[in-house]
Amino acid sequence: MHPAPSVIFFSTFSGLGFGLLIWLGLGVPEVSGWSAFAFFAIAYLLAVGGLISSTFHLGHPERALKAFTQWKTSWLSREGWCAVAALVLMALYGAGLVFFGAKWTLLGLLGAFFSLATVFTTSMIYTQLKTIPRWHQPLTPFNFLSLSIAGGALLAGQVMWSIVLLVLSGVIQAATWVIGDKALASSGTDMASATQLGGIGKVRAFEPPHTGTNYLLREFVHVIGRKHSEKLRIIALGLMVVLPVILLLLPFNHIIAVVAVLAHVAGVLTARWLFFAEAEHVVGLYYGKR
């Protein structure tokens, strides 16, 4: 698929924001007053900023509210409801910590649950798509969830948890790529099934369906070279896992912590770009692009 910046920013920053809210809802770190305000401000800027950026990819952003009406069948709608529930509950929980020095544990746990559910429902928007075999696999939700929780731990200043979870998220990311590389071939979808002409013989592309481009080619067919893909994967893992872990193993100071966070964010952005660039929508078979 064509990697739209708005969707890349959304999946990266909202994941980090809700990941931090998960930890805050669990009472980690134990903060109150202005310290709590700083943590909640960072979490909300990331989560809400990511959600807002996603609306720029909609054909009609003014109709975004209609998505809330389809919660029975749409993962996008479920994501919206979970996000609203998480933000409202965590706002109340945060208000207790900031203004009253009170820890309303039940609100925090509920907020953490809906924050986790928001990341899960976001991942299911992609996982459910059978037309993109690379996404339609069990590891996609784990990929989103592990990066969100690991990034949240990093932002929450939990050094040991960050190291463990970053390594785990890196392993899951690598496994997602390995399985994803074989997904289209193992799905049984090819040009014959895409064109429904397999019954009359072997199918091959003689010439493109049309001479110009169209919406499908612009939005769903993006071809990235294997060499470029491999380089970007190494860069992504190096920035989002290896470099932060090395920095976290050094004696702690705030400058190192900031560099670790920035490196992780840059790495996740790279991985998310690859997530969309390598999508391999089956419609590309019809155009002879796969």
Side-chain angles (χ1 to χ4, degrees):
M1 292 181 70
H2 184 71
S6 59
V7 180
I8 296 170
F9 292 149
F10 156 65
S11 60
T12 299
F13 293 121
S14 66
L16 286 169
F18 283 108
L20 179 54
L21 287 176
I22 291 170
W23 287 94
L24 290 172
L26 296 175
V28 180
E30 292 188 8
V31 289
S32 61
W34 287 109
S35 295
F37 177 82
F39 277 101
F40 276 91
I42 293 171
Y44 272 78
L45 283 172
L46 290 169
V48 176
L51 290 171
I52 291 174
S53 71
S54 69
T55 62
F56 291 104
H57 192 60
L58 298 175
H60 295 277
E62 71 279 2
R63 301 178 187 173
L65 290 177
K66 291 185 178 180
F68 287 90
T69 64
Q70 308 298 317
W71 59 272
K72 290 184 179 180
T73 57
S74 168
W75 282 106
L76 177 63
S77 182
R78 293 165 188 162
E79 176 199 41
W81 281 110
C82 287
V84 169
L87 293 173
V88 170
L89 288 168
M90 290 305 294
L92 294 173
Y93 178 67
L97 290 173
V98 174
F99 299 111
F100 307 107
K103 186 178 180 181
W104 298 326
T105 304
L106 181 58
L107 278 178
L109 292 176
L110 286 173
F113 170 79
F114 279 105
S115 297
L116 185 69
T118 300
V119 179
F120 175 73
T121 51
T122 299
S123 71
M124 288 305 298
I125 294 172
Y126 307 108
T127 307
Q128 68 171 335
L129 296 175
K130 295 181 180 179
T131 52
I132 303 179
R134 184 180 289 274
W135 296 352
H136 190 63
Q137 58 157 305
L139 282 183
T140 299
F142 289 103
N143 179 231
F144 275 70
L145 289 167
S146 63
L147 284 173
S148 175
I149 297 171
L154 192 59
L155 289 171
Q158 304 305 300
V159 176
M160 291 310 300
W161 274 114
S162 295
I163 293 172
V164 173
L165 291 170
L166 284 170
V167 172
L168 178 61
S169 67
V171 171
I172 293 174
Q173 178 65 82
T176 302
W177 282 330
V178 171
I179 295 174
D181 287 343
K182 305 173 184 176
L184 182 60
S186 62
S187 69
T189 304
D190 54 20
M191 189 174 290
S193 63
T195 58
Q196 295 294 300
L197 296 174
I200 59 176
K202 186 176 181 180
V203 180
R204 64 181 178 86
F206 178 69
E207 61 182 12
H210 44 72
T211 56
T213 187
N214 63 3
Y215 172 81
L216 292 175
L217 287 172
R218 288 194 302 271
E219 290 294 317
F220 299 117
V221 179
H222 185 87
V223 180
I224 177 173
R226 183 176 177 180
K227 290 184 179 180
H228 294 297
S229 178
E230 290 175 351
K231 289 178 182 177
L232 287 172
R233 289 180 181 185
I234 294 171
I235 291 171
L237 282 178
L239 287 174
M240 75 183 187
V241 177
V242 179
L243 182 55
V245 167
I246 292 173
L247 291 173
L248 291 174
L249 290 172
L250 298 175
F252 179 83
N253 68 59
H254 292 293
I255 295 177
I256 287 178
V258 170
V259 174
V261 169
L262 292 177
H264 178 71
V265 172
V268 176
L269 283 169
T270 306
R272 283 290 178 261
W273 187 89
L274 279 170
F275 180 77
F276 292 101
E278 295 182 313
E280 294 178 321
H281 196 292
V282 294
V283 75
L285 292 167
Y286 178 75
Y287 294 95
K289 299 291 186 180
R290 302 296 178 203

